[in-house]
Amino acid sequence: MNKITHQLTQTEHLEHIQKIEVITRRRRTMKRLKSRSFINQTLTRFALYSIVTTGFLGVAALGCWGFEIIDANSRATILRGHDWQAQKNICLGGMAVTFSGFLGSALLGACLSGDE
């Protein structure tokens, strides 16, 4: 009789442990999904901001290029003191940096979402 009671308590104990494992596994999955969702949202925002910044810097580089041409073809004026070529190169460098940031965040986002 003692063996039967002992066996029943063991199976109840095992069922209780299995329920706890299921609950902890669900919680781990939820935390992992929340963190992955946060990372994806952050990468999406970064990609969007970097591509918009690339566009603005491209427009600024075209404007500086136009002022450089105007400056080269005009007489000596107040605009002559500006170094439009340096400003254009700064804008082009910024474009290269932000566009590489866009490509990097898009690649990282694709790698992280490939696991799902």
Side-chain angles (χ1 to χ4, degrees), residues 36-49 105:
R36 184 164 287 180
S37 173
F38 174 72
I39 290 172
N40 283 339
Q41 287 177 353
T42 305
L43 288 173
T44 302
R45 286 183 188 150
F46 184 76
L48 180 67
Y49 293 152
S105 64

Side-chain angles (χ1 to χ4, degrees), residues 5-15:
T5 309
H6 182 67
Q7 188 176 9
L8 285 176
T9 55
Q10 278 185 340
T11 56
E12 289 175 0
H13 181 68
L14 287 175
E15 288 175 3

